[in-house]
Amino acid sequence: MSSTKKVETRQESDTLGPMEVPMDRYYGAQTMRCLINFRIGGEEERMPRQIIQAMGILKKAAAETNQEFGLDPKLSTAISNAADDVISGKLYDEGHFPLPIWQTGSGTQSNMNSNEVIGNRAIELLGGRIGTKDPVHPNDHVNKSQSSNDTFPSAIHIAVATALTKDLRPAVTALRDSLQAKSNEWKDIIKIGRTHTQDAVPLTLGQEFSGYAQQLTNGLQRIDAVLPRVYQLALGGTAVGTGLNTRRGFAEKCVKRIAQLSGLPFVVAPNFFEALACRDAMVEVHGALNVLAVSLMKVTNDIRFLGSGPRCGLGELFLPENEPGSSIMPGKVNPTQCEAMTMICAQVMGNHVAVSVGGANGHFELNVFKPLIASNVLRSIKLLADGCISFNCNCVKGIKPNKEKLAKIVNESLMLVTALNPHIGYDKSAQIAKAAHKNGTTLKVEALNAGISEKDFNEWVRPEKMLGPS
């Protein structure tokens, strides 16, 4: 028989009574109740690390601000120092923040998890006995002038703003710059265009890639456009937006300190009732992420198809050969980076549905889908940022043009007939193209059969003259 090692515990209490809590954990009774009541999802469904770190920033700023409003400096300093261990991620990694995303929709249990952990760590720093709530109380001191209803949405905004500016923007910018570099490098390589997946008039490979680069430039501008709303924090609204149990000036001073600690220009929300009752800013953020996913799906699929082959596909691009592609077909290499990116895009589009549903469920004075919204927004940011880095480094930078194939396809295209329109008209040009297709000949052969001189044909049908307005 196997024996299970008994976990040493201490007794802590909340308003519902006593609870046994692991001795080696800083969290208290409320966190323990949540762990028991919400056994959902396992380790991979924990509240995101970024949210907890953001909560640490907020609690540190609140403690320092509360000192200005009468909190004992000794307690304020201890809370601030304890919060540093949350901001660093140390206490998250050590398992002191075990709660799942799937809890109360306001994030109250994670706010109390933060209050309990910081409170007990502060007690320890002051030489006290953890679990006694003396001399630091999780509600009276760590949560002073706050409510879960204004702290948790503020933590979401801090975490999302940080992820957008420090992770996603640099990754998208680097990918955009690589696509633009390819566009510049290939500005003179003429290829055939395609509309409806059918042959169209020529353009350059550089022009084609310039469109991809512009899509990402637009994506970056969309991110920048939503940031002002993300920088608005609900802190100071407390329970329903009225600011009950806080002090005049607390919100402004605390948010200013959060801005200093994070290095981002956070401000007090202009209307606390909006800031608590809805998550429109997060839905807007994910709207920008959704458009970015749509753009990346289009760009990545184009590159995937342009690199199809090597013998029987379009074969206009050589994609980097990163790994073997088949367990049964020797020598096969697949566009794996494209496949990974398109899967990421599909996941982000799915996350957008969840965020939209969550955002629509703000009932009266409080939205209660906050953990769902926050986790999906942060997950989408992480996937898109990592995906852009991977796709850029392992695919885009190594793409090379198949110049021979590009030139061959241009010369074989029937849509060069469009150059004849100004000279002989649309209908006669169409007859020449149809004849060439039916007879398996070239445009030139059928144009000469239709009475056009070779000199005129050579002068009129020149792909390099078809790349822009005349």
Side-chain angles (χ1 to χ4, degrees):
M1 295 178 61
S2 62
S3 60
T4 303
K5 184 179 179 181
K6 183 175 174 59
V7 176
E8 189 178 357
T9 64
R10 67 179 184 274
Q11 190 176 88
E12 291 210 23
S13 62
D14 57 15
T15 57
L16 292 182
M19 290 289 296
E20 293 297 316
V21 180
M23 186 65 79
D24 62 349
R25 292 291 180 263
Y26 288 123
Y27 56 74
Q30 289 202 43
T31 301
M32 197 66 218
R33 286 190 196 281
C34 184
L35 269 178
I36 293 169
N37 292 335
F38 298 96
R39 301 178 187 273
I40 303 171
E43 177 69 21
E44 62 273 17
E45 294 295 319
R46 279 173 76 190
M47 186 63 66
R49 192 176 195 263
Q50 304 101 304
I51 295 290
I52 300 304
Q53 290 176 297
M55 196 67 84
I57 291 173
L58 187 153
K59 297 296 180 181
K60 180 181 180 71
E64 294 174 1
T65 304
N66 279 321
Q67 183 177 329
E68 298 184 39
F69 290 97
L71 179 63
D72 184 335
K74 182 177 68 172
L75 301 188
S76 171
T77 299
I79 293 168
S80 177
N81 290 339
D84 286 334
D85 288 340
V86 178
I87 296 169
S88 70
K90 175 177 180 288
L91 297 183
Y92 185 91
D93 296 341
E94 290 178 354
H96 299 280
F97 293 91
L99 299 188
I101 295 163
W102 316 107
Q103 52 169 278
T104 177
S106 62
T108 298
Q109 276 109 0
S110 282
N111 180 45
M112 282 309 302
N113 187 183
S114 301
N115 292 332
E116 290 175 342
V117 168
I118 292 171
N120 274 328
R121 175 62 177 142
I123 290 171
E124 186 177 62
L125 291 173
L126 290 169
R129 185 163 61 89
I130 66 172
T132 61
K133 302 182 184 179
D134 181 29
V136 179
H137 192 285
N139 298 81
D140 296 338
H141 300 130
V142 184
N143 200 59
K144 185 177 178 61
S145 296
Q146 304 152 59
S147 161
S148 300
N149 296 352
D150 65 351
T151 57
F152 196 76
S154 295
I156 292 172
H157 280 228
I158 294 167
V160 169
T162 301
L164 286 173
T165 56
K166 297 183 180 179
D167 297 329
L168 185 59
R169 277 201 100 268
V172 176
T173 299
L175 177 55
R176 187 274 314 272
D177 290 347
S178 292
L179 291 167
Q180 187 59 55
K182 295 296 184 184
S183 173
N184 297 338
E185 180 184 352
W186 299 335
K187 62 184 176 63
D188 296 323
I189 299 177
I190 299 173
K191 61 162 289 177
I192 205 64
R194 295 179 181 88
T195 58
H196 305 268
T197 70
Q198 306 298 300
D199 300 352
V201 296
L203 73 165
T204 68
L205 190 57
Q207 288 172 325
E208 191 168 48
F209 268 67
S210 76
Y212 306 153
Q214 186 63 50
Q215 281 186 274
L216 297 196
T217 295
N218 293 346
L220 289 166
Q221 290 172 352
R222 291 185 189 96
I223 293 170
D224 292 341
V226 304
L227 281 172
R229 265 81 65 202
V230 182
Y231 291 140
Q232 296 174 359
L233 300 187
L235 192 65
T238 63
V240 298
T242 61
L244 179 68
N245 284 359
T246 189
R247 303 283 290 275
R248 289 192 182 96
F250 170 82
E252 291 75 13
K253 289 176 179 290
C254 192
V255 170
K256 181 179 179 180
R257 182 61 178 136
I258 289 171
Q260 292 170 345
L261 291 168
S262 64
L264 295 171
F266 291 108
V267 297
V268 177
N271 186 298
F272 287 140
F273 303 101
E274 184 274 345
L276 271 61
C278 70
R279 298 268 52 84
D280 289 356
M282 289 299 105
V283 178
E284 185 183 8
V285 166
H286 209 284
L289 301 179
N290 194 58
V291 178
L292 181 59
V294 169
S295 297
L296 288 167
M297 179 79 87
K298 184 266 190 291
V299 171
T300 309
N301 270 331
D302 276 11
I303 290 173
R304 183 213 310 248
F305 296 134
L306 290 172
S308 61
R311 296 288 179 88
C312 303
L314 295 179
E316 295 186 353
L317 299 177
F318 294 121
L319 305 186
E321 298 183 353
N322 295 327
E323 60 270 320
S326 175
S327 62
I328 190 172
M329 294 175 279
K332 195 173 191 298
V333 179
N334 297 327
T336 52
Q337 290 295 320
C338 298
E339 291 167 2
M341 178 59 87
T342 51
M343 286 193 290
I344 287 170
C345 294
Q347 182 63 63
V348 171
M349 293 172 197
N351 291 349
H352 190 57
V353 175
V355 171
S356 299
V357 172
N361 277 280
H363 304 135
F364 307 118
E365 278 64 62
L366 189 67
N367 177 283
V368 290
F369 278 65
K370 291 188 186 78
L372 164 81
I373 293 169
S375 61
N376 275 286
V377 171
L378 289 169
R379 186 178 295 121
S380 290
I381 292 172
K382 174 68 171 171
L383 288 172
L384 288 168
D386 288 354
C388 283
I389 292 169
S390 181
F391 186 58
N392 183 27
C393 296
N394 299 315
C395 183
V396 172
K397 287 186 175 181
I399 296 174
K400 299 185 184 306
N402 185 345
K403 294 181 181 180
E404 290 184 10
K405 188 67 174 287
L406 287 161
K408 180 176 183 293
I409 294 173
V410 169
N411 291 330
E412 291 176 349
S413 173
L414 299 178
M415 288 303 99
L416 297 179
V417 75
T418 308
L420 296 178
N421 286 0
H423 305 286
I424 64 173
Y426 182 94
D427 290 341
K428 191 169 183 180
S429 298
Q431 290 173 1
I432 290 172
K434 287 179 176 294
H437 183 55
K438 180 180 179 181
N439 299 329
T441 56
T442 64
L443 285 178
K444 186 172 184 178
V445 167
E446 298 302 335
L448 297 182
N449 289 341
I452 298 173
S453 71
E454 185 172 6
K455 179 173 180 267
D456 284 343
F457 183 88
N458 291 339
E459 178 64 29
W460 296 339
V461 183
R462 298 174 64 186
E464 69 275 12
K465 300 293 185 183
M466 300 175 66
L467 305 175
S470 58

